[in-house]
Amino acid sequence: MIEPIQTIALPNSMDALAIGVGAISGALHARRRHMDVMGILVVAFCAALGGGVIRDILLASGPPVFLTSSVFLIYAFVGATIGWLFSRYASRATMLMEVIDGLFIGVWVLVGATKALSNGLGFGSAILVAVITATGGGVLRDLFCGEQVSLLLPGQWLAAAALVGALTFTTVFWTSGDLFLAEILCIVVASTIRMVSAAFDVRTPMPMDLSRVLSRSKA
Amino acid sequence: MPEVYTGVTALPNWTLYLAVIVGGVAGATYAARRGFDVIGVLALSVTTGLGGLLLRDILLGRGPIVLRDNAFIWSAVFAAVVGFFFAGYIARFDRPLLGMEALAMGLLATVGADSALRAGLGALPAIVVGTIVATAGPLFRDILGGDAPQLLRPGVFLGVIALAGSALFVGLDAWTHQPLLSQIIVIIAVFATRVIAVLSDWETRPADDLSDRMWSYWSRKSESER
């Protein structure tokens, strides 16, 4: 067992940027479904803060971060308001928001993994918690809109990028024991996969039915 | 292990049980109308009735009171039985049920905000927790039933009232330092607003977009300057 590691704390400006962008994209999603003001607020908050809430509930380490430090709520509220009142302008910046989103997916994986490890969980559980932290917001958003969860549908690498990032982090940290190196590699790998997938429309692999292939080769 | 805090400042516990029953009956009749079976009615009654209080304790990071105090579970089960056998009667008395739901919503919002304040959280998180506790039950019901949540769609004036009620409670509590008095005032205010909203057909609209208006304002301004 390794010694407990420090949970990394992001600088405030990065927190604000990541949460604000998450809230704006959540608010735009709600607007496209013609929701009212409350709907936009709820969906934006879920998209921005949902992953962290699920993580903190799973780790059972007291009230979730967004309740103990109000700044997160304010960031999400500002983002939701921008998405609500200025959706026309905000939706023109979709490209920019996706890039920011892609850059931050590795960061969320990292925060989830380190927090799980510092709570004394093993590597396998840390991977699970990391992926949930990075993708939980989107799942909550889809559930609250009453849609199929887009995470489970075939498409671009989103949860898969988070999974690969989490695997990278734990593998590097396990083998080398160098936390800093693991953090850097995790962010680089996850963001690169996400960006490349978005830029060249790389799809996630679909299930292959090997039984058909096997029975044909036998015949 | 911290002691279990029910969140009731001075109102007796049976008011919370009653709120659970009202929420549970609403969930059970919804399930009966959708053609769910026994388990569906039971599950929706339990989630709708207990969802808010359960989520409150999870969010505040402690053992859920609804699992410690058996009366909560029995209230929800009672509601399920009522909804299972008498869905038709209940649908006929929708106006009284609406009033009961409004009372329950005010109570849950104040209980949520109050317990968040007592757990040492700030004013803004307390408002959020109050809103979540008051609205989580119907939200869970709609998600489990496979609907887009009524709370989020334009039409029914619900979430805004819960939000305003929680904010009013936090403000009154900080101002007067009398939780019970502020709780009663907020419950009455929430009830009155909800009833007036239903009677006079107030509805929420899809959200406005200010970008166009700002754009036209700016373009007109620049034209007049030219």
Side-chain angles (χ1 to χ4, degrees):
Chain A
M1 196 61 220
I2 47 142
E3 72 278 12
I5 60 174
Q6 278 290 304
T7 318
I8 57 162
L10 296 180
N12 273 336
S13 50
M14 278 173 72
D15 269 343
L17 189 62
I19 291 175
V21 167
I24 292 177
S25 69
L28 290 180
H29 191 88
R31 278 205 69 113
R32 280 196 292 272
R33 270 102 197 134
H34 305 288
M35 290 187 169
D36 62 358
V37 175
M38 195 64 193
I40 288 180
L41 274 183
V42 171
V43 174
F45 269 69
C46 283
L49 304 168
V53 175
I54 303 180
R55 177 199 64 207
D56 288 343
I57 289 174
L58 286 180
L59 296 181
S61 55
V65 173
F66 86 102
L67 288 179
T68 49
S69 55
S70 308
V71 278
F72 288 100
L73 280 178
I74 296 172
Y75 297 152
F77 187 74
V78 170
T81 316
I82 293 174
W84 158 29
L85 292 178
F86 304 109
S87 67
R88 189 69 56 82
Y89 293 149
S91 56
R92 283 201 197 128
T94 320
M95 191 70 191
L96 178 66
M97 291 202 299
E98 274 195 7
V99 170
I100 296 177
D101 219 34
L103 283 178
F104 272 104
I105 189 168
V107 178
W108 292 133
V109 167
L110 186 62
V111 172
T114 46
K115 199 157 184 188
L117 287 179
S118 68
N119 268 276
L121 295 187
F123 282 114
S125 338
I127 294 175
L128 181 65
V129 172
V131 174
I132 288 175
T133 307
T135 57
V139 174
L140 282 187
R141 181 198 65 195
D142 292 340
L143 277 182
F144 282 4
C145 291
E147 296 165 0
Q148 260 196 306
V149 178
S150 61
L151 188 76
L152 305 179
L153 300 175
Q156 292 177 352
W157 288 62
L158 187 66
L163 181 62
V164 176
L167 283 171
T168 314
F169 174 78
T170 45
T171 318
V172 173
F173 185 51
W174 199 3
T175 50
S176 71
D178 188 349
L179 185 60
F180 186 69
L181 179 69
E183 287 174 351
I184 297 293
L185 275 179
C186 166
I187 296 179
V188 169
V189 168
S191 303
T192 312
I193 293 178
R194 175 80 190 105
M195 300 287 208
V196 168
S197 161
F200 300 105
D201 200 27
V202 181
R203 296 295 169 127
T204 44
M206 298 292 290
M208 296 169 272
D209 194 359
L210 282 187
S211 55
R212 210 180 298 158
V213 180
L214 289 179
S215 61
R216 201 178 297 155
S217 65
K218 212 193 297 173
Chain B
M1 201 66 207
E3 63 178 299
V4 176
Y5 172 65
T6 57
V8 187
T9 43
L11 283 185
N13 252 358
W14 59 260
T15 51
L16 263 187
Y17 301 146
L18 208 59
V20 169
I21 292 180
V22 171
V25 167
T29 42
Y30 172 88
R33 219 178 34 243
R34 304 264 319 199
F36 289 177
D37 67 349
V38 184
I39 296 299
V41 170
L42 199 57
L44 278 190
S45 154
V46 168
T47 38
T48 312
L50 302 179
L53 289 171
L54 187 69
L55 200 56
R56 177 200 72 176
D57 289 337
I58 291 176
L59 282 180
L60 298 183
R62 55 189 177 205
I65 178 69
V66 294
L67 300 181
R68 306 282 176 90
D69 184 351
N70 275 327
F72 283 106
I73 304 278
W74 290 123
S75 311
V77 171
F78 171 73
V81 172
V82 173
F84 188 75
F85 289 109
F86 302 108
Y89 283 134
I90 294 168
R92 225 172 297 160
F93 292 110
D94 62 334
R95 279 290 157 87
L97 189 66
L98 211 70
M100 301 276 282
E101 275 183 316
L103 282 177
M105 198 170 82
L107 178 66
L108 287 176
T110 52
V111 164
D114 182 52
S115 43
L117 284 178
R118 285 173 179 236
L121 296 180
L124 198 57
I127 295 175
V128 173
V129 172
T131 314
I132 292 175
V133 173
T135 54
L139 199 64
F140 287 161
R141 180 195 67 188
D142 289 342
I143 291 176
L144 283 183
D147 273 339
Q150 197 187 33
L151 178 76
L152 309 182
R153 275 175 300 165
V156 193
F157 230 94
L158 215 68
V160 182
I161 295 180
L163 182 64
S166 310
L168 181 65
F169 175 79
V170 171
L172 277 179
D173 190 46
W175 185 42
T176 62
H177 295 291
Q178 285 185 327
L180 180 64
L181 181 71
S182 356
Q183 189 169 28
I184 291 173
I185 293 177
V186 169
I187 292 176
I188 294 173
V190 165
F191 177 74
T193 323
R194 181 90 181 93
V195 168
I196 293 173
V198 170
L199 291 184
S200 52
D201 281 334
W202 286 353
E203 293 197 334
T204 55
R205 294 169 305 158
D208 288 328
D209 190 350
L210 289 190
S211 358
D212 281 345
R213 228 180 285 170
M214 280 182 63
W215 182 248
S216 57
Y217 174 75
W218 278 331
S219 55
R220 236 181 297 136
K221 206 170 164 193
S222 57
E223 267 171 29
S224 62
E225 275 166 9
R226 218 180 290 150

